[in-house]
Amino acid sequence: MDRLDNTIRPYAWGSTTAIPQLLGTEPTGEPQAEMWMGAHPGAPSRTGRGTLVDVIDADPERELGHACVAKFGPRLPFLLKLLAAGAPLSLQVHPDLAQAKEGYADEERRGIPLDAGHRNYKDANHKPELICALTEFDGLCGFRDPVQAADLLDGLGVDSLKPYVDLLHAHPEDAALREVLTAILTADPDEMTRTVADATAACARLGGAYTPYAELAHHYPGDPGVIAAMLLNHVRLQPGEALFLGAGIPHAYLDGLGVEIMANSDNVLRCGLTPKHVDVPELLRIVRFEAADPGVLRPEASPDGEEVYETPIEEFRLSRYVLPEGTAVHDLTRATAQILLCTAGSVRAGEHDLTPGQSVFVPAGERAEVTGAGTVFRATVIV
């Protein structure tokens, strides 16, 4: 197996302290938002044999396993991350596989450069993802019941929000949610700026359930995403709890440190809380206008101590082992490639000693014995 040397991405929303604290390093004063583990061409992990992209390209079946290559092609199907939010991320959705293929092909036909600011589809893949909290973790996930969203908006006492409140009481609920989100994102910018300012003042005054939205407005003053965010479920995960974000589900991460895994894609359509391009017509085509419980996931334990976060996705499978002192050796050998990440304590994976934030890539079929006292996350695929 290969010890991984991973890139930390300094996105502006990143925490300046969470990843350094996990790694036991001194903060630099700059944001450290994500640490990428995998073979994404944007920031592939490095090994003693070259980048993980180079390693896999040299012999995909040896590294990934025959079944994985047959099902997903000659590349690692997932990207594993440490994600540390010190400020809210953009409100966003991801396309399903058919939508991604169609959107990518269309933008390719129209000759839109991949690095263009108004490009929506960077590749032809979908981007389902799972976030598992390492600390308390705040996020927004999926639409609230429209009546509950109406009550939240109405409680602000802002006259310019009354039309949205009335729309949310209309039926059917999917049409009501669509109409309100469309109205928010297409409103006159000056009028929306005033509405957000009035709503922000009310959120700060009322506190309680309104506190997260006052915080959003602090980071994104005047952004229509502040109002759109009130249509969504606010979720606070405890360590070990997780959220699965499927296609078309609007979401945003607000604060906290977690382990994130996703299909290997860059496709994001933004709804707000961002200075970046918002393609309203395409966004409305992708969003699933369904009110639903966000569905907090807790791991399901197996007899051998593996705790699995079950999702309907085959490109990735995330689980963890919480190993107490004196634990016997765990054999994690698998016919598909895997990445093992230590997040607590000290463990030994093969010949590698791992402390929090350190990881290894295990080729398909490679013997993978783990022991020690700590927590290890395991990322692999389902074939």
Side-chain angles (χ1 to χ4, degrees), residues 201-266:
C203 286
R205 182 180 70 254
L206 293 168
Y210 293 99
T211 300
Y213 310 103
E215 183 70 12
L216 289 181
H218 170 73
H219 291 283
Y220 300 100
D223 193 304
V226 174
I227 307 301
M230 295 188 192
L231 304 177
L232 307 184
N233 297 295
H234 175 243
V235 185
R236 174 164 292 171
L237 301 178
Q238 297 304 311
E241 295 180 335
L243 285 176
F244 172 70
L245 293 313
I249 304 299
H251 62 277
Y253 302 144
L254 305 182
D255 182 71
L257 176 67
V259 174
E260 185 183 37
I261 190 168
M262 61 187 62
N264 209 345
S265 171
D266 271 340

Side-chain angles (χ1 to χ4, degrees), residues 107 118 120 269-270 277-284:
E107 291 185 331
H118 64 290
N120 294 315
L269 287 103
R270 294 175 177 84
H277 176 63
V278 177
D279 185 336
V280 175
E282 185 65 9
L283 172 72
L284 296 174

